[in-house]
Amino acid sequence: MAVVTAGTGGFDQLHYGQVPIPSPGPGEVLLSVLAAGVNNTDINTRVGWYAGSVKVGTDSLAIETGREDGGWNGTTPFPLIQGADCCGRVVSVGTGVDKNLIGSRTIVRSCMRSSGFGLTDTVWLGTDFDGAFAQFVKVPVGEVFPVACDWSDAELASVPCAYGTAENMLHRAGVSSGDRVLVPGSSGGVGTALVQLLKRRGSEVIAITSASKRRMIELLGVSRILDRNDDPAAILGEESVDVVIDNVGGGALGKILKALRRGGRYVSSGAIAGPLVALDMRDLYLKDITLIGCTAWDAPVFPDLISYIEKGEFRPLVAAVYPLDRIADAQRAFQEKRHIGKIVLIPPP
């Protein structure tokens, strides 16, 4: 069983039913999917948000069919089994793969650098080829990482996309102990991942979230919380933070940059509040600010995450778990943004 996305559009494009079990080719493994996380990218690809013609945030986009150029890497290969987050158990392997992997519980690196880490070309699970919204998925063996821990399947499925994205931004920006870091959108999957991974680094975290989610973010141990309608520079002071890690975008960018110190770093891997922003170039060049865009994950990112998991240095927040056939309900709940952490789907056994 799997959920096949027929094309761009609404929930009616999600078709749950029987599909053939994939057969692993040379250098591939077949996984029995134990759990699959829900991500912005699954929904954004289904509605075609990545198309250049789209100028609004994800909450404001009118649902239309036929926006096939709105995928992560251009045209999406519909019909497609989506699902960028996978916790699975190896059940068979293709030629050239060590059979000792069979039986291993693993997570899959969602962002695959098929041209090598010297180039920024990417291939994404569930966007460029069939993903984890299924009972079975096949992936290249080099993207499968066995994990030894006592976490639930749902917890492990919360890691790949959100924590991979978060760790990649921190790695790329060189964030370290003592850095004062501002995190807009701190209550989502990537946001809570950022808070946790910053805390394990010893950074000072200032979170931005809504009033309804404030208490839970406080429990993560942040130094300070701002409301999403606050002006960070007015409250914290101009040039008061070392790094901004912003997956929200939209109209707040100008105010946020005022809070960034001279020589600071602004890092982004998303723009859910809107892709078009107003940038005062004087803030950029007079303050020697570095703007860092992050999509392609660097080589150390996923192995480092595995080591953090196995050493117990963080634990993900699972907001809700749904059976795979209720994917529309799960994605509705995701879009309502009342949750904190990850929403996870469980395929049938």
Side-chain angles (χ1 to χ4, degrees), residues 52-67:
S53 59
V54 175
K55 310 297 183 187
V56 297
T58 55
D59 290 344
S60 304
L61 183 64
I63 302 299
E64 299 175 4
T65 58
R67 199 185 279 123

Side-chain angles (χ1 to χ4, degrees), residues 59-131:
D59 290 344
S60 304
L61 183 64
I63 302 299
E64 299 175 4
T65 58
R67 199 185 279 123
E68 267 69 29
D69 64 334
W72 196 278
N73 280 321
T75 302
T76 302
F78 294 120
L80 176 71
I81 298 172
Q82 294 184 280
D85 273 338
C86 179
C87 169
R89 194 173 301 280
V90 179
V91 292
S92 66
V93 300
T95 57
V97 179
D98 184 356
K99 292 184 179 179
N100 288 323
L101 275 175
I102 295 175
S104 300
R105 191 170 68 145
T106 69
I107 55 175
V108 178
R109 179 164 49 192
S110 314
C111 176
M112 304 178 186
R113 305 286 290 276
S114 55
S115 299
F117 289 98
L119 300 174
T120 54
D121 299 347
T122 59
V123 175
W124 285 81
L125 178 69
T127 295
D128 297 309
F129 69 100
D130 284 343

